[in-house]
Amino acid sequence: MLYICATPIGNLKDISLRVLDTLKEVDVIAAEDTRQTVKLLNHYEIKKPMIAYHEHNRFEMTPVLVDRMLRGENIALVTDAGTPVISDPGEDLVRACIESGVEVTSLPGATAFTTALTLSGMNARRFTFEGFLPKEKNELKGVLDRFRESTVTTIFYEAPHRLVKTLEKLADAVGEKDRKITVCKELTKKHEWSMRFDSIAAAGAFFREKEEPRGEFVLVIEGCDSEEMERDKQQEWEKLSVEEHMKIYLEKGVDKKEAMKAVAKDRGVSKRDIYQALLELGG
């Protein structure tokens, strides 16, 4: 069986009794960094064999670990801090276990993005967790495009050496429609720190000019104003003639009746208005 074990993100007391019992009972602990995990084990006087399982060996080690579980061993999966599978390679092992018929259970606990969200003061009813910005250009563009139009709170992780550049990319993505942001670091630790800024650009300027980024960061950013976004979109559509607007949908293979309905919705008018405009154009 595979046990997904959440470990503390800072304060060593933030671990459940169930996780401690499980770490004592399993046959082996699969750890992202054995040097980090041994500190936790030593603190709680747990002595168990460990095996490294991380981004750079996951393809090699996933079948090895699955085979060990198929032969009867119980394995605990832990990350350096927080809940495994969240922004780490644990998802590959979980998927392989499910496909191989190995039972999987998750022991909940600390997660940095939910901790930051509750500290942020942002709307927590709906949110998107994006993790770290991707490095690949097309994937990065997709994330930034999605972020630009998101009306819900968005959460990112970032390392200190990339923080300023990431804030600049996020500020560029929203442009003049800048948003409030809460920046958190050292969560649950003695020097826990969170600061709220009225704009992403202001946060970038702060870390560029006043404070050198240190520690792992969580960025919690408010969603855009949905009504304002709809008005902006409508204004963009209105720059087109009705005929040009219709052509966009027709070229996508949408039939004329549905295209008229879509154009009316985009422009905030009735379908009858679009029909009348097309008649006047001889369409």
Side-chain angles (χ1 to χ4, degrees):
M1 186 169 183
L2 178 68
Y3 295 86
I4 304 168
C5 295
T7 55
I9 59 175
N11 192 314
L12 292 181
K13 292 181 180 179
D14 293 333
I15 190 167
S16 73
L17 295 176
R18 184 180 173 209
V19 168
L20 289 175
D21 287 343
T22 299
L23 294 177
K24 294 173 184 176
E25 294 168 2
V26 293
D27 297 293
V28 65
I29 297 170
E32 183 179 8
D33 186 339
T34 56
R35 295 167 300 180
Q36 291 297 321
T37 300
V38 76
K39 297 175 186 177
L40 176 69
L41 299 184
N42 287 342
H43 181 80
Y44 286 104
E45 299 181 346
I46 298 172
K47 297 187 182 297
K48 279 290 172 180
M50 286 189 288
I51 188 168
Y53 182 81
H54 48 69
E55 179 67 28
H56 304 294
N57 73 353
R58 58 192 170 110
F59 295 115
E60 171 192 349
M61 292 306 302
T62 293
V64 172
L65 294 178
V66 170
D67 182 64
R68 290 179 67 160
M69 284 181 279
L70 287 172
R71 288 189 281 113
E73 291 190 12
N74 292 316
I75 295 178
L77 174 67
V78 300
T79 186
D80 287 352
T83 302
V85 181
I86 305 298
S87 288
D88 80 18
E91 62 184 277
D92 297 309
L93 181 58
V94 172
R95 189 181 303 111
C97 285
I98 292 170
E99 292 172 353
S100 301
V102 173
E103 191 174 354
V104 180
T105 190
S106 184
L107 284 59
T111 305
F113 76 81
T114 55
T115 305
L117 178 61
T118 58
L119 280 173
S120 70
M122 303 291 180
N123 188 332
R125 187 175 67 86
R126 293 179 63 220
F127 63 90
T128 298
F129 172 63
E130 290 285 1
F132 294 92
L133 280 181
K135 296 178 181 178
E136 199 277 319
K137 286 186 177 180
N138 287 336
E139 192 178 353
L140 173 62
K141 183 180 183 302
V143 171
L144 293 177
D145 287 346
R146 185 164 61 244
F147 166 65
R148 181 185 301 110
E149 297 192 357
S150 177
T151 59
V152 303
T153 302
T154 304
I155 306 170
F156 295 95
Y157 284 164
E158 196 48 273
H161 64 282
R162 291 194 300 263
L163 179 66
V164 171
K165 283 189 176 297
T166 290
L167 289 170
E168 289 172 351
K169 289 175 183 176
L170 295 173
D172 288 343
V174 297
E176 295 180 358
K177 308 293 184 183
D178 214 336
R179 306 177 199 169
K180 293 179 181 178
I181 177 174
T182 298
V183 181
C184 303
K185 69 172 183 174
E186 302 297 295
L187 291 170
T188 76
K189 298 180 183 178
K190 182 179 180 180
H191 299 292
E192 177 178 284
W193 183 96
S194 63
M195 184 173 286
R196 295 158 184 83
F197 299 89
D198 287 334
S199 69
I200 303 169
F206 176 82
F207 288 103
R208 188 168 53 249
E209 301 166 8
K210 296 183 179 180
E211 181 164 322
E212 181 184 354
R214 293 178 181 175
E216 300 298 315
F217 288 85
V218 186
L219 314 177
V220 187
I221 306 171
E222 72 174 351
C224 66
D225 185 309
S226 57
E227 292 183 3
E228 184 178 7
M229 185 176 69
E230 286 302 316
R231 286 195 300 271
D232 290 345
K233 283 184 177 180
Q234 187 173 320
Q235 288 171 2
E236 288 299 313
W237 286 123
E238 288 172 353
K239 292 177 183 178
L240 300 175
S241 69
V242 173
E243 194 172 33
E244 290 170 332
H245 200 157
M246 282 287 293
K247 188 177 179 181
I248 291 173
Y249 286 103
L250 294 174
E251 287 181 345
K252 292 180 180 178
V254 179
D255 67 56
K256 189 172 182 179
K257 184 177 179 181
E258 289 301 314
M260 287 171 61
K261 189 185 297 183
V263 170
K265 183 179 179 182
D266 289 343
R267 300 171 86 91
V269 299
S270 70
K271 185 180 172 183
R272 181 182 291 276
D273 290 335
I274 301 302
Y275 178 72
Q276 187 62 41
L278 290 172
L279 279 180
E280 292 173 2
L281 292 168

